[in-house]
Amino acid sequence: MKKLLSLGLLGVCGVGFAQTRYLSVDLGTLGGNSASALALNDHGDVVGSAYTAAGQPHAFLYSGGVMHDLGTLPGDTISNATGINNLGQVVGVSSHQNGDGSYTYHAFLYADGVMQNLGTLAGFSDSKCGSINDSGVVVGWSIQSAGPQYHAFTYDGGSLRDVSGGLTSIALAINSSGQAAGQVRFSDFGDWHAALFSGGVVQDLGVLPGFSFSQADALNSIGQVVGICQGPGVTDGFLYSAGTMTDLGGLGGLGAWPTGINDAGYVVGSSLVRLSNGHQVNHGFVYVAGHMRDLNSLIFPRRVGPIFSLAYGINSHGLICGQTMIDGNHSHATLLVPYMPISIHP
């Protein structure tokens, strides 16, 4: 892995990540048939969810070339890791199914080999984690199934702090400045809008023209935000920067779902691609300086069959994590390592 990382660093210096071909590294599974890599840090450590041989999805940490099973909280059977910082602290959700078929969710922080239940906001029954920054501040949301109700929270080592402003809200990502991004409803029957949570203020980021719903999925240290807008049968990705929301377009003219952005402003996500038979499939993409490229066209050597379908995160060195579809039902967690410059133009 360290050799691959050094190749990636040499490949991106001075040429830009979107001008780069990628080596595809299969991270495997935890003994089951599927896995997905959801987040990574600047050291190339990757987290996500993978099926065990017993058929249960568990949170994993991939580090030093090995995928480690992080297990679950006591009494739970399922877990999923959604964020990792440069200190190696991991956050996510652990859960179990109740007798009535519903699930109980517990936000967790994993550090130094211990998985800690972060609890819930007062009056709420469940919680989920979104991300964690290098200061150890966690963001997520508490859930009250009756209603249902959602309130965004932060956690910095003490107890959960409600940052919702009393509004129905979810926090999915946090940057080095402590800004959080997610979504909020400003009335009981209003549409969800992408939002920034900063200094006790909840900022509505709005929607693209013609859309009514939006959601922020990731942000970088300078406050650039990516997410989606949705309307009837349509999903378009956006980049919010300096007060302006820009439509990212899609591969082949179809919409996109961006889920990661680094401090250089490089965006990754997935977009539907229409096949010659009329079917649509997801392909991972990288977007920079107004250009969206299909990551499958940038993987070297070229391969036939497996599709890098979902890109979830990109770090400061341009490494990208996500999943590759092995067949119609199975996927493997994947790390794309940049190493060779190419032209960004078609």
Side-chain angles (χ1 to χ4, degrees):
M1 178 55 63
K2 292 187 182 301
K3 184 177 181 181
L4 290 175
L5 291 179
S6 66
L7 283 171
L9 289 171
L10 287 171
V12 301
C13 287
V15 298
F17 302 144
Q19 296 176 286
T20 304
R21 289 200 185 275
Y22 296 87
L23 296 172
S24 178
V25 182
D26 187 340
L27 307 187
T29 74
L30 289 173
N33 55 23
S34 289
S36 187
L38 302 179
L40 75 169
N41 63 19
D42 288 337
H43 305 302
D45 302 320
V46 183
V47 296
S49 177
Y51 278 84
T52 66
Q56 296 284 9
H58 277 194
F60 74 77
L61 167 63
Y62 181 91
S63 181
V66 178
M67 182 180 285
H68 306 274
D69 187 343
L70 300 188
T72 69
L73 289 168
D76 288 340
T77 56
I78 298 171
S79 61
N80 183 29
T82 56
I84 182 172
N85 64 14
N86 286 327
L87 301 177
Q89 297 171 309
V90 180
V91 295
V93 59
S94 178
S95 62
H96 64 266
Q97 188 172 23
N98 302 310
D100 61 1
S102 65
Y103 283 83
T104 296
Y105 300 98
H106 305 104
F108 74 75
L109 169 64
Y110 181 95
D112 299 322
V114 177
M115 183 178 288
Q116 174 189 354
N117 188 340
L118 297 186
T120 70
L121 292 170
F124 288 77
S125 57
D126 301 79
S127 60
K128 294 183 178 182
C129 273
S131 187
I132 182 171
N133 68 12
D134 287 343
S135 297
V137 181
V138 180
V139 293
W141 63 102
S142 272
I143 307 164
Q144 183 53 267
S145 56
Q149 292 288 325
Y150 310 91
H151 275 200
F153 70 72
T154 61
Y155 172 87
D156 61 3
S159 58
L160 303 190
R161 184 167 68 91
D162 192 326
V163 295
S164 68
L167 301 167
T168 300
S169 56
I170 291 172
L172 294 168
I174 185 169
N175 66 13
S176 58
S177 302
Q179 292 177 302
Q183 58 184 150
V184 66
R185 289 175 62 185
F186 288 92
S187 66
D188 290 342
F189 302 101
D191 290 305
W192 287 96
H193 277 196
L196 272 177
F197 305 87
S198 181
V201 176
V202 182
Q203 178 187 354
D204 183 355
L205 301 187
V207 296
L208 291 167
F211 292 85
S212 58
F213 169 101
S214 61
Q215 172 182 313
D217 287 281
L219 79 166
N220 62 17
S221 64
I222 59 175
Q224 294 177 308
V225 180
V226 294
I228 59 165
C229 291
Q230 287 182 326
V234 181
T235 298
D236 275 7
F238 72 80
L239 168 64
Y240 180 91
S241 181
T244 300
M245 183 177 283
T246 301
D247 192 329
L248 298 186
L251 297 172
L254 300 174
W257 191 312
T259 48
I261 183 170
N262 67 12
D263 287 347
Y266 297 91
V267 180
V268 296
S270 60
S271 176
L272 284 171
V273 174
R274 194 181 304 278
L275 304 179
S276 58
N277 61 9
H279 294 164
Q280 298 180 27
V281 295
N282 278 310
H283 280 207
F285 72 78
V286 59
Y287 175 97
V288 59
H291 297 274
M292 181 179 290
R293 296 297 303 269
D294 187 333
L295 283 165
N296 291 276
S297 71
L298 305 180
I299 294 172
F300 185 83
R302 293 290 181 92
R303 58 190 182 184
V304 177
I307 296 172
F308 185 74
S309 58
L310 301 173
Y312 285 111
I314 180 169
N315 71 11
S316 63
H317 304 304
L319 281 75
I320 298 169
C321 68
Q323 71 176 43
T324 297
M325 293 304 300
I326 304 303
D327 56 38
N329 299 308
H330 306 129
S331 63
H332 279 194
T334 304
L335 183 66
L336 300 186
V337 182
Y339 77 103
M340 182 190 299
I342 64 168
S343 170
I344 65 172
H345 300 290

